[in-house]
Amino acid sequence: MGALILGLVFFLHVTQAQTPPNWNKEGIPNLLKEMTIEEKVGQMTQINLDVICEGEIYKLVEPHHLQQSKLDEAIAQWHVGSVLNCGGHAYPVDQWHQIIRGIEQTVEAKSRMKIPVLYGIDAIHGANYVMGSTLFPQQLAQAATFNPALIQQVAEITAIETRAVGIPWNFSPVLDVGRNPAWSRFFETYGEDPYLCSVMGQGAIQGYQGGNATQLDNQHVAACMKHFLGYSGARTGKDRTPAYLSDIQLREIYMPSFQAAIDAGAMTVMINSGEINGIPVHANPKILVELLRNEMHFTGMAVTDWEDVIKLVKVHHVAVDLKEAVYQAVMAGIDMCMVPNDYDFTRLLIELVKEGRISEQRLDQSVARILELKMNVAKIGDATAVGLKDKIGCDAHIKVAQQVVAESITLLQNKNNILPLKKESKIMVTGPAAHSLILMNGAWSRTWQGVDTTWEDQSKMTVVEGLRSLGGRNVSYRRGCELSSYKKDEKWLKSLKKNDVIIACVGELPSTEKPGDIDDLSLEKAQIKFVNDLIKTGKPVILVLLENRPRLIEPIAEQCAAIIMAYQPGDNAGEVLAKILYGEINPSGKLPFTYPKFNQSLLTYDHKHSEALDQKFGENAYQPQWPFGHGMSYSQLEYKNLKISKARNASAKPTWIVSVEVENKSNRPAQETVLLYLHDQVASVTPSVKKLKRFDKKNIPANGIALYEFVIGTEDLSFIGRSAKPEIEGGIWDVYVGDLKGQIEFQP
Ligand code: BGC
């Protein structure tokens, strides 16, 4: 009976949910006329969930729940337009529903305009703040699949599991190009290449938002491309430190992934917390208006990053006080401010408008974008009633996560075909990453930094558990070493002789943003010493890497029999990794970045010729541990018959069809990604030694052949010229596919 009454109350609540008057795009001008300055500024205000929960900010009362008086203040007094984040850790779906419903009900009861509050969250490798949700490999690993259709599926599932709890806005994908492997957010990128980032990013946008970017259904979420622009270009590689980027670099390297996302209909953008050439991006109208709006034609909504208006005063020192900072950011072009822990932004912006320093028209511009976004993503009524609860972490979703793991894991070295392992082999699994779900998951996993083991899902398999599920008693385990400390145990090392192989799982503790800054890219000395001792046993050592970024392993790499890059594959990876090691799955991942060998040699694959010059006056200075695009298969794959033919496309422009065959000379089916690069032999802006222009992944049956075909157009021959605009000059381009080479000639 109780349930019946509750159900009835709920039904009434849903059906009585009122639509604000003029709640359609044509009605926006009328809505703006009706709204007070306070209500408009409130729409531009985004607060942290902590602000409206019981307890203190960052110290909420467990279990976290809304405090009605604080919520009333946010809605009735400050007219807050958006709330973000969880209060420090993930929630089960029902707890999310209580929070989202609580906010909605307060809007209905206490807000004059009844404009829905837009809830935003970081669901960046699955709905990571929803307990029981599907965790996917981090973005860097996703890029290693070179499979944009799969990445679209990842985003579709993430959207469903996010929407299931009532949240319609996701702060993802990261479209910053990973140019500096030391950067604490390297694992959040799609790697070092602008084209790869563009293609993968478009897949993610399509998956999050569905086909129709102007009106989402209740299975999709608004995407947020971040962090515009140049965030990953910091000179030191430390988080939120200055980038010094020329117009040419900005346009050649950092803009394409954002342009591709805008073209795919990305609804929102988050701004870079850092500075470019001495100007904080949050205070730079050249980037936020001239570039983003006028040149790149972005019409969606721009949100600041965390506390970034405050940082204009406290970190960047470009504003004398917060009021000046609010003025600078709003006049530079932000629409919504992720304040997020007080109402100072709101109060000061109201003052600035009332004093006439900022016009109401300026507010209207941003509020119109916010209202339109809300109309596009949120149906009025109960956001939690979408009926997707059962989909959270369902088998079908886990299967896709496993597929991503299978296609991302990258075989870097395999001497004497030590891999795949035989089932009867005696294996010692060891190392600080061998039995740790947090190291598999990485940051943004149930908590921000992802290091709190309380939130691990114990039903999931670690690497050693995965191996045991296949190898049974032949698999032994001993931790052997900590992440940063190692005590040699001679007796144990001697006993390792009994084994056929040693699998050493090494890596780093998850981290992101400022806590992830490092001074040395090398793998921790303790782990290097440990692996060296394992090598000295004379038994073949297979190294498995679980890390935020490519930690240098030069002192041990050569002596390891095999090396596998597992990235941060998520907690669905244990069994899949084991299947790869035992050969039930043929690896097909390829590095989406250059794996460096030394701290002072952090070249990207698309470096300039001058950077390739070595001490002996050759062109061999690019000597990474492994190059971009490297990744082996258990099959022997031979590239042959590169053919280039010239044609014309529908608009009579010249195009080139490049085809190549890949033969699988083994009895195992394989998957292979073919990468096509161009090298401009001469250009008025120094050309790179090569640039990725196309890639394609295909299945190749055992002893079969696959044909790959690529179409290259004149736009692929363009570069950012001296005028900082795309230019095409006549000349010759080398075409590189695997170890094959051809040429294209073109005169405009
Ligand atoms: C990060 C963003 C994130 C935001 C909200 C910031 O610190 O830089 O990537 O979306 O927090 O959690």
Side-chain angles (χ1 to χ4, degrees), residues 171-184:
F171 306 134
S172 174
V174 167
L175 298 174
D176 303 307
V177 186
R179 303 297 280 185
N180 189 332
W183 188 39
S184 64

Side-chain angles (χ1 to χ4, degrees), residues 496-509:
L496 292 178
K497 290 218 162 57
K498 297 194 296 274
N499 296 285
D500 297 308
V501 291
I502 301 166
I503 298 183
C505 303
V506 298
E508 68 180 310
L509 197 67

Side-chain angles (χ1 to χ4, degrees), residues 75-95:
I75 302 297
Q77 186 181 336
W78 296 106
H79 315 285
V80 160
S82 181
V83 179
L84 88 153
N85 215 6
C86 58
H89 59 73
Y91 305 132
V93 56
D94 293 335
Q95 197 174 347

Side-chain angles (χ1 to χ4, degrees), residues 11 138 191 381 409 443 459 495 503 522 532 538 540 544 584 599 609 707:
F11 176 73
Q138 298 278 359
I409 302 270
S459 70
S495 76
I503 298 183
S522 308
N532 254 323
V544 176
E584 286 180 31
N599 268 312
H609 284 275
L707 175 72

Side-chain angles (χ1 to χ4, degrees), residues 450-646:
V451 288
D452 187 345
T453 51
T454 334
W455 303 97
E456 286 176 345
D457 177 349
Q458 295 302 333
S459 70
K460 303 286 182 178
M461 281 189 227
T462 60
V463 177
V464 62
E465 287 166 342
L467 281 160
R468 276 199 173 132
S469 74
L470 299 189
R473 286 170 169 217
N474 284 333
V475 179
S476 322
Y477 164 69
R478 176 158 167 158
R479 191 170 164 88
C481 173
E482 299 305 316
L483 287 165
S484 318
S485 66
Y486 166 56
K487 221 168 125 215
K488 192 168 178 171
D489 179 345
E490 299 275 9
K491 206 168 144 207
W492 176 65
L493 286 167
K494 270 195 193 132
S495 76
L496 292 178
K497 290 218 162 57
K498 297 194 296 274
N499 296 285
D500 297 308
V501 291
I502 301 166
I503 298 183
C505 303
V506 298
E508 68 180 310
L509 197 67
S511 60
T512 185
E513 301 187 50
K514 211 63 202 158
D517 281 356
I518 47 172
D519 294 318
D520 184 351
L521 194 52
S522 308
L523 185 67
E524 295 254 9
K525 287 191 187 75
Q527 296 184 63
I528 296 279
K529 274 192 195 148
F530 168 64
V531 177
N532 254 323
D533 282 348
L534 299 175
I535 290 166
K536 281 188 208 141
T537 64
K539 288 291 163 186
V541 173
I542 293 161
L543 198 66
V544 176
L545 304 164
L546 289 118
E547 46 192 10
N548 301 350
R549 55 206 138 193
R551 303 304 294 255
L552 309 181
I553 51 167
E554 189 273 336
I556 49 174
E558 192 47 41
Q559 297 101 299
C560 288
I563 303 181
I564 285 206
M565 179 58 161
Y567 309 89
Q568 288 165 322
D571 60 10
N572 295 298
E575 202 186 343
V576 185
L577 183 54
K579 283 187 176 165
I580 288 181
L581 287 161
Y582 278 112
E584 286 180 31
I585 295 172
N586 198 352
S588 65
K590 291 197 184 253
L591 288 179
F593 57 87
T594 301
Y595 203 115
K597 209 181 220 171
F598 301 109
N599 268 312
Q600 280 308 313
S601 277
L602 302 182
L603 290 181
T604 51
Y605 85 91
D606 55 350
H607 53 273
K608 299 292 181 86
H609 284 275
S610 56
E611 292 174 297
L613 289 182
D614 57 52
Q615 299 96 326
K616 293 185 179 144
F617 304 102
E619 278 206 37
N620 293 314
Y622 180 63
Q623 292 292 346
Q625 196 72 58
W626 294 285
F628 173 89
H630 175 68
M632 300 161 79
S633 163
Y634 292 147
S635 304
Q636 195 198 332
L637 302 171
E638 192 183 304
Y639 284 48
K640 54 190 204 184
N641 292 332
L642 177 71
K643 288 190 190 136
I644 303 176
S645 59
K646 205 168 166 186

Side-chain angles (χ1 to χ4, degrees), residues 50-51 53-61 64 67 70 87:
D50 290 42
V51 176
C53 280
E54 191 172 337
E56 284 170 53
I57 286 166
Y58 304 140
K59 277 187 240 148
L60 298 184
V61 173
H64 300 174
Q67 187 176 322
K70 291 183 183 172

